[in-house]
Amino acid sequence: MNGSNYVLVTVGHERFYCGKLVLVKVSGDYSLCSTYADEAFRIACLKLGLTPSDCKLLDWQFLGDDLTFVL
């Protein structure tokens, strides 16, 4: 892996009507995709101004580093 990967996480919190989808860039090399998901969840919560222990990781998808953005 090249050190930067993308993970799509769904964060659950009492402030949200339903889960919030967050696309997160995770730097670093981990051996398990679930470790990327945990790190992406932590980053997403912090960027949303939430404490990770007050949130739930409802779903995640490892997208890797080969991602193209078309907006």
Side-chain angles (χ1 to χ4, degrees), residues 59-70:
D59 195 13
W60 62 274
Q61 182 179 5
F62 180 79
L63 303 174
D65 64 347
D66 188 17
L67 195 64
T68 302
F69 293 95
V70 178

Side-chain angles (χ1 to χ4, degrees), residues 10 12 17 22 25 30 33 36-38 40-41 43-44 46 51-52 57 59-60 67 69:
T10 305
Y17 176 72
V22 184
K25 181 178 180 180
Y30 302 104
C33 288
Y36 283 97
D38 293 339
F41 172 71
I43 292 168
L46 296 176
T51 304
L57 177 59
D59 195 13
W60 62 274
L67 195 64
F69 293 95

Side-chain angles (χ1 to χ4, degrees), residues 1 4 7 11 15 17 20 24 30 32 40 49 57 64-65 68:
M1 306 238 178
S4 292
V7 182
V11 178
R15 290 191 338 195
Y17 176 72
K20 184 173 286 287
V24 181
Y30 302 104
L32 300 173
L57 177 59
D65 64 347
T68 302

Side-chain angles (χ1 to χ4, degrees), residues 13 16 35 37:
H13 187 269
F16 308 144
T35 307

